[in-house]
Amino acid sequence: MTKKYVQVIAKFEENGAMIPLQVLWEDGRVFEIDRVLDRRPGVSLKVGGQGIRYICRILSKEVCLYYEEPRWFVESKA
């Protein structure tokens, strides 16, 4: 597994909360985040790194998306 940095479209709410809406893959694909299931500080045990861990539902699958300031990453197969 490796850390894969991705572009993310997010919205910022009045209270300052950051909500990811879309993940943009390097090949141009765009994945809509159907729902954010959980948001909390977290550590990626598979690839290292820590920050805010968002557990998201994308295409009916649970995906962990991390905000490690100032970048976003996902755990990806090497």
Side-chain angles (χ1 to χ4, degrees):
M1 297 290 281
T2 186
K3 199 183 275 191
K4 176 143 182 86
Y5 291 101
V6 293
Q7 293 183 50
V8 172
I9 303 295
K11 75 174 182 176
F12 292 85
E13 295 188 337
E14 292 174 354
N15 65 4
M18 184 169 39
I19 310 297
L21 302 174
Q22 297 176 325
V23 176
L24 290 73
W25 215 246
E26 65 185 8
D27 65 4
R29 292 180 291 167
V30 177
F31 296 97
E32 298 287 331
I33 296 173
D34 302 321
R35 184 172 179 187
V36 175
L37 304 171
D38 189 43
R39 175 194 177 276
R40 67 181 67 202
V43 176
S44 171
L45 299 176
K46 295 177 183 176
V47 298
Q50 65 183 25
I52 306 293
R53 182 185 68 196
Y54 293 81
I55 299 175
C56 303
R57 184 174 297 133
I58 300 174
L59 299 174
S60 301
K61 294 182 182 177
E62 285 189 18
V63 175
C64 290
L65 176 65
Y66 295 86
Y67 180 67
E68 184 180 55
E69 196 171 333
R71 301 190 289 178
W72 294 87
F73 74 89
V74 293
E75 300 162 334
S76 177
K77 295 178 183 173

